[in-house]
mmCIF file of all heavy atoms in Angstrom:
data_model
loop_
_atom_site.group_PDB
_atom_site.id
_atom_site.type_symbol
_atom_site.label_atom_id
_atom_site.label_comp_id
_atom_site.label_asym_id
_atom_site.label_seq_id
_atom_site.Cartn_x
_atom_site.Cartn_y
_atom_site.Cartn_z
ATOM 1 N N GLN A 219 -5.796 10.328 -10.261
ATOM 2 C CA GLN A 219 -5.481 10.451 -11.690
ATOM 3 C C GLN A 219 -5.531 9.118 -12.420
ATOM 4 O O GLN A 219 -5.764 9.078 -13.636
ATOM 5 C CB GLN A 219 -4.081 11.058 -11.860
ATOM 6 C CG GLN A 219 -3.905 12.419 -11.230
ATOM 7 C CD GLN A 219 -2.450 12.870 -11.283
ATOM 8 O OE1 GLN A 219 -1.870 13.002 -12.360
ATOM 9 N NE2 GLN A 219 -1.854 13.110 -10.125
ATOM 10 N N THR A 220 -5.289 8.041 -11.704
ATOM 11 C CA THR A 220 -5.121 6.731 -12.353
ATOM 12 C C THR A 220 -6.266 5.760 -12.095
ATOM 13 O O THR A 220 -6.438 4.799 -12.858
ATOM 14 C CB THR A 220 -3.830 6.069 -11.858
ATOM 15 O OG1 THR A 220 -3.933 5.843 -10.436
ATOM 16 C CG2 THR A 220 -2.626 6.939 -12.149
ATOM 17 N N GLY A 221 -7.041 5.986 -11.023
ATOM 18 C CA GLY A 221 -7.935 4.940 -10.573
ATOM 19 C C GLY A 221 -7.106 3.782 -10.052
ATOM 20 O O GLY A 221 -5.960 3.969 -9.616
ATOM 21 N N LEU A 222 -7.646 2.590 -10.092
ATOM 22 C CA LEU A 222 -6.888 1.396 -9.709
ATOM 23 C C LEU A 222 -6.210 0.840 -10.942
ATOM 24 O O LEU A 222 -6.862 0.508 -11.936
ATOM 25 C CB LEU A 222 -7.818 0.353 -9.095
ATOM 26 C CG LEU A 222 -7.172 -0.964 -8.657
ATOM 27 C CD1 LEU A 222 -6.185 -0.729 -7.515
ATOM 28 C CD2 LEU A 222 -8.237 -1.973 -8.234
ATOM 29 N N CYS A 223 -4.866 0.751 -10.896
ATOM 30 C CA CYS A 223 -4.142 0.242 -12.067
ATOM 31 C C CYS A 223 -2.829 -0.382 -11.634
ATOM 32 O O CYS A 223 -2.460 -0.329 -10.454
ATOM 33 C CB CYS A 223 -3.886 1.369 -13.072
ATOM 34 S SG CYS A 223 -2.629 2.552 -12.538
ATOM 35 N N THR A 224 -2.133 -0.978 -12.572
ATOM 36 C CA THR A 224 -0.808 -1.538 -12.305
ATOM 37 C C THR A 224 0.221 -0.815 -13.171
ATOM 38 O O THR A 224 -0.090 -0.345 -14.265
ATOM 39 C CB THR A 224 -0.755 -3.050 -12.604
ATOM 40 O OG1 THR A 224 -1.124 -3.273 -13.965
ATOM 41 C CG2 THR A 224 -1.689 -3.808 -11.680
ATOM 42 N N ILE A 225 1.436 -0.747 -12.641
ATOM 43 C CA ILE A 225 2.552 -0.128 -13.357
ATOM 44 C C ILE A 225 3.697 -1.135 -13.377
ATOM 45 O O ILE A 225 4.169 -1.565 -12.320
ATOM 46 C CB ILE A 225 3.013 1.179 -12.671
ATOM 47 C CG1 ILE A 225 1.871 2.188 -12.629
ATOM 48 C CG2 ILE A 225 4.222 1.766 -13.399
ATOM 49 C CD1 ILE A 225 2.199 3.455 -11.837
ATOM 50 N N GLU A 226 4.135 -1.513 -14.571
ATOM 51 C CA GLU A 226 5.278 -2.413 -14.707
ATOM 52 C C GLU A 226 6.546 -1.567 -14.835
ATOM 53 O O GLU A 226 6.657 -0.749 -15.753
ATOM 54 C CB GLU A 226 5.109 -3.305 -15.930
ATOM 55 C CG GLU A 226 3.901 -4.218 -15.875
ATOM 56 C CD GLU A 226 3.745 -5.046 -17.137
ATOM 57 O OE1 GLU A 226 4.786 -5.328 -17.780
ATOM 58 O OE2 GLU A 226 2.604 -5.381 -17.487
ATOM 59 N N ALA A 227 7.485 -1.777 -13.927
ATOM 60 C CA ALA A 227 8.693 -0.948 -13.899
ATOM 61 C C ALA A 227 9.931 -1.784 -14.161
ATOM 62 O O ALA A 227 10.055 -2.917 -13.670
ATOM 63 C CB ALA A 227 8.827 -0.250 -12.544
ATOM 64 N N GLY A 228 10.862 -1.203 -14.919
ATOM 65 C CA GLY A 228 12.149 -1.869 -15.119
ATOM 66 C C GLY A 228 12.987 -1.836 -13.861
ATOM 67 O O GLY A 228 13.757 -2.764 -13.578
ATOM 68 N N ALA A 229 12.849 -0.773 -13.080
ATOM 69 C CA ALA A 229 13.528 -0.642 -11.793
ATOM 70 C C ALA A 229 12.636 0.174 -10.877
ATOM 71 O O ALA A 229 11.830 0.991 -11.332
ATOM 72 C CB ALA A 229 14.890 0.024 -11.946
ATOM 73 N N VAL A 230 12.763 -0.055 -9.579
ATOM 74 C CA VAL A 230 11.957 0.651 -8.572
ATOM 75 C C VAL A 230 12.893 1.279 -7.552
ATOM 76 O O VAL A 230 13.886 0.659 -7.135
ATOM 77 C CB VAL A 230 10.978 -0.317 -7.857
ATOM 78 C CG1 VAL A 230 10.257 0.382 -6.708
ATOM 79 C CG2 VAL A 230 9.967 -0.882 -8.851
ATOM 80 N N VAL A 231 12.591 2.514 -7.153
ATOM 81 C CA VAL A 231 13.320 3.169 -6.072
ATOM 82 C C VAL A 231 12.337 3.445 -4.933
ATOM 83 O O VAL A 231 11.328 4.128 -5.130
ATOM 84 C CB VAL A 231 13.969 4.493 -6.520
ATOM 85 C CG1 VAL A 231 14.719 5.133 -5.346
ATOM 86 C CG2 VAL A 231 14.918 4.261 -7.686
ATOM 87 N N LEU A 232 12.616 2.891 -3.773
ATOM 88 C CA LEU A 232 11.777 3.086 -2.587
ATOM 89 C C LEU A 232 12.282 4.303 -1.817
ATOM 90 O O LEU A 232 13.422 4.323 -1.373
ATOM 91 C CB LEU A 232 11.822 1.842 -1.700
ATOM 92 C CG LEU A 232 11.403 0.527 -2.377
ATOM 93 C CD1 LEU A 232 11.618 -0.635 -1.422
ATOM 94 C CD2 LEU A 232 9.962 0.586 -2.850
ATOM 95 N N ALA A 233 11.424 5.314 -1.677
ATOM 96 C CA ALA A 233 11.809 6.554 -0.993
ATOM 97 C C ALA A 233 10.629 7.050 -0.161
ATOM 98 O O ALA A 233 10.195 8.183 -0.277
ATOM 99 C CB ALA A 233 12.247 7.600 -2.005
ATOM 100 N N MET A 234 10.118 6.157 0.703
ATOM 101 C CA MET A 234 8.898 6.462 1.453
ATOM 102 C C MET A 234 9.142 7.301 2.696
ATOM 103 O O MET A 234 8.204 7.731 3.355
ATOM 104 C CB MET A 234 8.192 5.165 1.863
ATOM 105 C CG MET A 234 7.667 4.353 0.706
ATOM 106 S SD MET A 234 8.900 3.225 -0.022
ATOM 107 C CE MET A 234 9.240 2.094 1.312
ATOM 108 N N GLY A 235 10.419 7.515 3.054
ATOM 109 C CA GLY A 235 10.705 8.319 4.232
ATOM 110 C C GLY A 235 10.507 7.544 5.517
ATOM 111 O O GLY A 235 10.660 6.324 5.569
ATOM 112 N N CYS A 236 10.134 8.263 6.581
ATOM 113 C CA CYS A 236 9.972 7.629 7.885
ATOM 114 C C CYS A 236 8.763 8.211 8.605
ATOM 115 O O CYS A 236 8.184 9.200 8.170
ATOM 116 C CB CYS A 236 11.242 7.813 8.732
ATOM 117 S SG CYS A 236 11.669 9.551 9.015
ATOM 118 N N ARG A 237 8.392 7.582 9.700
ATOM 119 C CA ARG A 237 7.283 8.078 10.516
ATOM 120 C C ARG A 237 7.757 8.228 11.960
ATOM 121 O O ARG A 237 8.759 7.646 12.369
ATOM 122 C CB ARG A 237 6.085 7.142 10.445
ATOM 123 C CG ARG A 237 6.329 5.754 11.029
ATOM 124 C CD ARG A 237 5.079 4.887 10.919
ATOM 125 N NE ARG A 237 5.219 3.608 11.576
ATOM 126 C CZ ARG A 237 5.668 2.511 11.013
ATOM 127 N NH1 ARG A 237 6.052 2.539 9.748
ATOM 128 N NH2 ARG A 237 5.757 1.379 11.684
ATOM 129 N N GLU A 238 6.998 8.988 12.731
ATOM 130 C CA GLU A 238 7.364 9.231 14.123
ATOM 131 C C GLU A 238 6.846 8.112 15.034
ATOM 132 O O GLU A 238 5.764 7.555 14.795
ATOM 133 C CB GLU A 238 6.784 10.558 14.600
ATOM 134 C CG GLU A 238 7.362 11.773 13.903
ATOM 135 C CD GLU A 238 6.710 13.044 14.376
ATOM 136 O OE1 GLU A 238 5.602 13.352 13.896
ATOM 137 O OE2 GLU A 238 7.291 13.737 15.227
ATOM 138 N N ARG A 239 7.600 7.828 16.072
ATOM 139 C CA ARG A 239 7.122 6.909 17.103
ATOM 140 C C ARG A 239 6.060 7.637 17.921
ATOM 141 O O ARG A 239 6.258 8.764 18.360
ATOM 142 C CB ARG A 239 8.280 6.452 17.987
ATOM 143 C CG ARG A 239 7.898 5.399 19.003
ATOM 144 C CD ARG A 239 9.108 4.832 19.721
ATOM 145 N NE ARG A 239 9.768 3.799 18.932
ATOM 146 C CZ ARG A 239 10.951 3.943 18.342
ATOM 147 N NH1 ARG A 239 11.613 5.071 18.450
ATOM 148 N NH2 ARG A 239 11.483 2.956 17.645
ATOM 149 N N SER A 240 4.923 7.014 18.106
ATOM 150 C CA SER A 240 3.773 7.681 18.713
ATOM 151 C C SER A 240 3.687 7.421 20.214
ATOM 152 O O SER A 240 4.454 6.640 20.788
ATOM 153 C CB SER A 240 2.482 7.208 18.045
ATOM 154 O OG SER A 240 2.287 5.820 18.308
ATOM 155 N N ALA A 241 2.690 8.065 20.841
ATOM 156 C CA ALA A 241 2.485 7.909 22.283
ATOM 157 C C ALA A 241 2.169 6.459 22.641
ATOM 158 O O ALA A 241 2.573 5.968 23.701
ATOM 159 C CB ALA A 241 1.362 8.832 22.749
ATOM 160 N N GLY A 242 1.435 5.764 21.753
ATOM 161 C CA GLY A 242 1.075 4.380 22.042
ATOM 162 C C GLY A 242 2.281 3.476 22.202
ATOM 163 O O GLY A 242 2.242 2.510 22.966
ATOM 164 N N ALA A 243 3.375 3.793 21.498
ATOM 165 C CA ALA A 243 4.584 2.974 21.594
ATOM 166 C C ALA A 243 5.293 3.161 22.932
ATOM 167 O O ALA A 243 6.081 2.305 23.343
ATOM 168 C CB ALA A 243 5.538 3.323 20.453
ATOM 169 N N LEU A 244 5.027 4.275 23.615
ATOM 170 C CA LEU A 244 5.726 4.569 24.869
ATOM 171 C C LEU A 244 5.015 4.003 26.084
ATOM 172 O O LEU A 244 5.627 3.832 27.145
ATOM 173 C CB LEU A 244 5.877 6.089 25.041
ATOM 174 C CG LEU A 244 6.632 6.822 23.935
ATOM 175 C CD1 LEU A 244 6.710 8.304 24.266
ATOM 176 C CD2 LEU A 244 8.014 6.250 23.735
ATOM 177 N N MET A 245 3.698 3.751 25.957
ATOM 178 C CA MET A 245 2.900 3.220 27.068
ATOM 179 C C MET A 245 3.066 4.085 28.322
ATOM 180 O O MET A 245 3.340 3.583 29.417
ATOM 181 C CB MET A 245 3.279 1.757 27.354
ATOM 182 C CG MET A 245 3.060 0.829 26.167
ATOM 183 S SD MET A 245 3.521 -0.879 26.471
ATOM 184 C CE MET A 245 2.314 -1.342 27.721
ATOM 185 N N LEU A 246 2.879 5.389 28.163
ATOM 186 C CA LEU A 246 3.007 6.304 29.293
ATOM 187 C C LEU A 246 1.823 6.135 30.238
ATOM 188 O O LEU A 246 0.667 6.095 29.790
ATOM 189 C CB LEU A 246 3.064 7.752 28.802
ATOM 190 C CG LEU A 246 4.299 8.144 27.985
ATOM 191 C CD1 LEU A 246 4.132 9.552 27.425
ATOM 192 C CD2 LEU A 246 5.543 8.065 28.839
ATOM 193 N N PRO A 247 2.073 6.046 31.543
ATOM 194 C CA PRO A 247 0.959 5.939 32.498
ATOM 195 C C PRO A 247 0.090 7.184 32.478
ATOM 196 O O PRO A 247 0.563 8.286 32.196
ATOM 197 C CB PRO A 247 1.679 5.794 33.851
ATOM 198 C CG PRO A 247 3.056 5.326 33.524
ATOM 199 C CD PRO A 247 3.386 5.956 32.202
ATOM 200 N N GLY A 248 -1.191 7.009 32.771
ATOM 201 C CA GLY A 248 -2.132 8.115 32.782
ATOM 202 C C GLY A 248 -3.211 7.912 31.737
ATOM 203 O O GLY A 248 -3.314 6.849 31.115
ATOM 204 N N GLY A 249 -4.042 8.937 31.553
ATOM 205 C CA GLY A 249 -5.117 8.852 30.585
ATOM 206 C C GLY A 249 -4.646 9.161 29.180
ATOM 207 O O GLY A 249 -3.443 9.199 28.898
#
Side-chain angles (χ1 to χ4, degrees):
Q219 301 173 60
T220 62
L222 179 65
C223 72
T224 58
I225 300 174
E226 298 178 28
V230 174
V231 180
L232 303 175
M234 295 86 64
C236 59
R237 64 180 186 270
E238 294 178 280
R239 185 172 278 109
S240 65
L244 301 181
M245 300 179 66
L246 294 173

